[in-house]
Amino acid sequence: MAAARDFYDSLGVSRSASQDEIQRAYRKLARTYHPDVNKDPSAEERFKEVSEAYDVLSDPDQRRRYDAFGADFRQVPEGVDPQTWARARAGAGAGARAGAGAGGGGGGWRTAGGGGGSPFTGGFGAEGVDMDDILEGLFGGRGRGRGSWGPIRGADQEHEISVSVEEAYTGGRRSLSIAGPEGIRTVEVTIPPGVTDGQRIRLAGQGGQGTGGSQSGDLYLIVRIAPHPRYRVEGRDVYVDLPLAPWEGALGASVPVQTPGGDATVKVPKGTSTGRRLRLRGRGLPNPRGKPGDLFAEAKIMVPTKLTKEERHLFEELAGTSKFDPRRPES
């Protein structure tokens, strides 16, 4: 299995990047790889990768743990010293290489009894590293028996959750039925306002059960924003069509527009044609950690399909007097 890509590399930022730099990088990449915009088959996976990286690095606590433990940050128990963890990882890896070189077979890892097993099972790795001593520092001396190291924290689990654009804007509360190794169970989840597609919601202690009385793992809900008949979402920005009458586009107007947060009014400049985007700052999805997204109303010039006698007369009069030719650039 290929190694997971570094989150900083995924966003194209340095490890010292500020929260603003991380957010800017995410918004740029989200606009590029969102499946609604980019139809390349690989775009969706790239978008998921970028979203996961942003979800971790935009959270100060998760970023701290990721910086300390790398890809293992979700599995490492609270309170573990990063240097001790690194020693354990390095010692286990050295032990595996030594075991393989000594003809240890396909198992790779060696235990005190000589058989294959966990990288954290008792025994000595290369250069005399006593894994039991290291694990005593990690887990308070538990599991010093041969071939076993006692209680094990439950595994983290993932589950996708589909939310509407309105739920993503306002937040809400859900009851979810989740199937797992322990059977079907119901969990209560609070959806925070401003969640984005691909974001993870952590439910501490709601993952797999631990063994020997150890704590359960965490459950991570991966947010998927459902398609909407009116709105299109890119990151935190929301896009909506704005139907306009020909005279509203030509003369300018103030017209109502629906947003996920309620009705608003957009000022249409005179000379607006189909495709022009009118921005309402801060009317996109909220952001609990910074600047909210924007709402973009995209002009769509509409013409009546049925004309009254007077309307036909006025349009014919306009056609006879106007010098405007839409197929030729205006001087």
Side-chain angles (χ1 to χ4, degrees):
M1 181 180 295
R5 186 172 180 180
D6 181 84
F7 288 157
Y8 291 97
D9 288 344
S10 295
L11 294 179
V13 298
S14 68
R15 302 190 78 83
S16 61
S18 67
Q19 288 297 315
D20 284 345
E21 290 173 323
I22 288 172
Q23 185 180 74
R24 286 197 298 270
Y26 168 72
R27 292 181 66 163
K28 180 180 179 181
L29 291 169
R31 290 192 185 99
T32 300
Y33 293 106
H34 195 284
D36 289 346
V37 176
N38 192 327
K39 302 305 180 184
D40 188 292
S42 63
E44 182 175 0
E45 287 303 316
R46 180 75 171 105
F47 180 75
K48 291 178 182 179
E49 174 190 313
V50 167
S51 297
E52 180 184 7
Y54 175 71
D55 184 53
V56 172
L57 299 185
S58 64
D59 183 310
D61 182 61
Q62 290 200 71
R63 182 178 182 182
R64 174 185 59 79
R65 288 180 57 79
Y66 180 73
D67 288 344
F69 303 110
D72 295 321
F73 76 106
R74 292 192 180 102
Q75 282 72 44
V76 180
E78 291 289 345
V80 173
D81 177 66
Q83 293 184 349
T84 305
W85 179 262
R87 287 172 54 209
R89 295 278 292 178
R97 291 190 296 272
W109 302 107
R110 291 176 64 91
T111 67
S118 165
F120 299 115
T121 305
F124 289 86
E127 302 178 3
V129 178
D130 186 344
M131 295 307 298
D132 275 340
D133 284 346
I134 292 177
L135 290 170
E136 182 175 8
L138 283 173
F139 302 104
R142 295 175 299 196
R144 290 188 60 83
R146 297 166 66 90
S148 174
W149 50 290
I152 301 175
R153 178 182 181 274
D156 290 340
Q157 297 176 344
E158 291 184 346
H159 182 81
E160 288 196 351
I161 176 173
S162 177
V163 303
S164 68
V165 176
E166 289 85 357
E167 282 181 301
Y169 186 91
T170 62
R173 191 161 179 81
R174 289 272 202 92
S175 294
L176 297 179
S177 296
I178 297 178
E182 299 86 12
I184 298 178
R185 56 198 174 93
T186 300
V187 298
E188 298 292 328
V189 55
T190 297
I191 301 170
V195 293
T196 56
D197 194 85
Q199 181 174 331
R200 294 173 177 234
I201 300 174
R202 175 174 173 257
L203 301 181
Q206 296 292 322
Q209 294 181 356
T211 63
S214 185
Q215 64 181 355
S216 298
D218 297 332
L219 173 64
Y220 288 88
L221 300 178
I222 304 174
V223 173
R224 297 298 175 211
I225 296 183
H228 196 281
R230 182 181 302 117
Y231 305 118
R232 304 179 301 279
V233 179
E234 296 181 17
R236 296 189 186 278
D237 293 335
V238 178
Y239 294 80
V240 62
D241 289 342
L242 182 67
L244 297 173
W247 49 90
E248 289 176 324
L251 302 176
S254 292
V255 299
V257 60
Q258 289 182 307
T259 79
D263 290 341
T265 299
V266 59
K267 186 175 181 180
V268 179
K270 63 181 181 180
T272 293
S273 297
T274 292
R276 183 171 185 174
R277 288 179 174 176
L278 308 174
R279 178 162 63 178
L280 278 69
R281 295 182 183 275
R283 298 303 294 262
L285 298 184
N287 184 356
R289 303 191 189 103
K291 183 180 177 182
D294 299 326
L295 183 132
F296 292 89
E298 187 170 306
K300 301 284 187 183
I301 304 297
M302 311 295 289
V303 297
T305 56
K306 295 181 179 180
L307 297 173
T308 66
K309 185 176 180 180
E310 185 177 2
E311 286 172 334
R312 178 177 294 278
H313 172 72
L314 291 173
F315 272 111
E316 288 174 347
E317 185 177 352
L318 177 62
T321 59
S322 176
K323 304 298 183 183
F324 174 64
D325 185 346
R327 289 163 294 281
R328 295 178 61 182
E330 293 185 271
S331 58

